[in-house]
Amino acid sequence: MSAEAEWQALERHCNAIRGTHLRQLFADDPARAERFSCEAAGLFLDYSKQRITQETLALLLDLARACDLRRFIDAMFAGEILNTTERRAVLHVALRAPEGEVIRVDGRDVVPEIHATLERMRTFTLQVSTGAWKGYTGRRIRHVINIGIGGSDLGPRMAVRALLPYAEPGLDVRFVANVDPSDFAMAVQGLDPAETLFIVCSKTFTTQETLANARAARAWCVGALGGSSAAVARHFAAVSTNLSAVAEFGIDPQHAFPLWDWVGGRFSLDSAIGLSIMLAIGPPQFELFLGGLRAMDEHFRGAPFEENLPVLLALVGIWNANLLGAGNLAVLPYDEHLALFPAWLQQLEMESNGKSVTRAGTPVRHQTAPIVWGQPGTNGQHAFHQLIHQGTRLVPCDFIGFAKGHSRNHEQHVMLLANLIAQSEALAFGKTPDEVRAEGVAEALVPHKTFEGNRPSNTLLAERLDPFTLGALCALYEHKVAVQGLLWDIDSFDQWGVELGKVLANRVLKELSSEEEPKLAHDGSTNGLVLRLREKR
Ligand code: F6P
């Protein structure tokens, strides 16, 4: 599927309107803000500050139709094999399907086992939070440490921080991901092993970093609790598709929660991988989180493309990346609780759509995923926003904000919101040389104080960052990524690009750690680096 005619129509159109400034677009159409905004599942999207016209949108929608987007959405929800290189269904939407819905994989309805797992997660969570669950020495659990990396870390870590105002008292939830032993050391600093529970999350249960950290945790815990391996049963739980490896590690199968190969790691935060989220906020709030994801799923599945938030977000992203040539996307949440949202999104967007061959294995004809980056406002305004306003690169931005904050300090929350709004306004409209001169600025400084503007952004607003809203936000971006992958004709659900580094790391590991100091057969640079580290160790 190349949709070549639709891509060419977009290119012709882009050449025709490239010079049109957002100032002009707003002046020409007083209804522009209403025309290019829509709302669903508690999220309001204003995309009127994108450099698009009604014709642009129509052409982008033509592209979506030419790529058979409607059929793709139906196929996803029906459990068809969309991850073609791994021959897998792509069914993260089943994780939040209501009880009673039927979704089949290989002829088997998967919804009952999802709900059975949710029920086990609830029981486990309540045992821990009420203190019914005792550690090996009989003490109650006060600290939970999630051990995992990538999709088995970023989603839960982001969500636990995002939902901190909803946290159950008495349980502190931490995360360890990096194979760097300092990560583990910092996470357990000051903790008592007798009150600490580890959840080892790994879809494959073969990931080097996670297994190394799990072994370190076992040694730390068992060592401190008298050396009995029976302590593992009281201080470890696991989430994986590979339940036999979990048992081999010594974790009681009763405390092992399943995952399925039709859930991609980066799409798994609402599976049992999210057990740490449920432990942090409790089952009822977790249910609301699932409700937000589900509400966005229903919107994505049913809304016409013209009013479909994930589709619109994907289309304006395609316009910016492929037609305007922006190679990146800044995600700027104006909320400290969402500080890790850009990091979660980095894996979601860049691991999913950082591909250069089509599903058929031929080179792609268009740029694929942009580089996603960002951090919360207002901090970024005093660091990198200078480049977004006046640099030479085009940096499309997604601003995310919430009408109500969680603090009682309303005055500062309003300051936060004022900054969010002002940034998107400044980026879009800038300040002309004449406006600068009118302020009496010396002529030599006019170019320095001029803001070109015409820099595109989306603004996403919701009432409050609560579990439902976070769920809707996560599903919004999950579906956006899937739509973009379809339009770029790539498999968004595999990640072969991470394999080579893993294989080479194992080879170098042997070379660095072997007493024999094996002969090196890399290139000159790699050999030199290995030798230097061997000498310095
Ligand atoms: O190496 C990349 C990756 O496979 C991610 O896709 C995944 O989220 C992460 O590693 C962790 O994998 P696992 O959950 O199997 O430990």
Side-chain angles (χ1 to χ4, degrees), residues 115-143:
H115 281 271
T117 303
L118 279 168
E119 184 54 33
R120 286 186 58 215
M121 288 164 65
R122 280 192 282 269
T123 305
F124 182 82
T125 299
L126 291 177
Q127 283 177 339
V128 173
S129 64
T130 57
W133 178 287
K134 302 279 184 244
Y136 183 60
T137 62
R139 305 251 290 274
R140 72 182 289 167
I141 298 299
R142 299 191 189 282
H143 310 282

Side-chain angles (χ1 to χ4, degrees), residues 125-185:
T125 299
L126 291 177
Q127 283 177 339
V128 173
S129 64
T130 57
W133 178 287
K134 302 279 184 244
Y136 183 60
T137 62
R139 305 251 290 274
R140 72 182 289 167
I141 298 299
R142 299 191 189 282
H143 310 282
V144 170
I145 301 187
N146 186 90
I147 298 178
I149 198 163
S152 299
D153 167 75
L154 290 163
R157 192 192 285 257
M158 175 277 289
V160 166
R161 182 177 169 124
L163 301 177
L164 219 49
Y166 298 85
E168 296 269 323
L171 203 63
D172 145 58
V173 180
R174 303 181 179 195
F175 293 84
V176 174
N178 201 328
V179 76
D180 179 347
S182 306
D183 197 14
F184 180 79

Side-chain angles (χ1 to χ4, degrees), residues 10 17 56 76 106 111 137 155 215 225 238-239 263 275 293 301 303 333 371 390 411 431 435 451 469 490:
L10 275 163
I17 69 156
T56 318
M76 183 164 95
D106 294 331
V111 178
T137 62
R215 284 192 295 268
L225 299 180
V239 183
V263 181
L275 182 57
L293 286 144
R301 197 176 182 179
I371 296 164
Q390 287 189 316
E411 200 184 319
K431 197 171 186 182
E435 285 167 341
F451 288 68
T469 304
I490 55 181

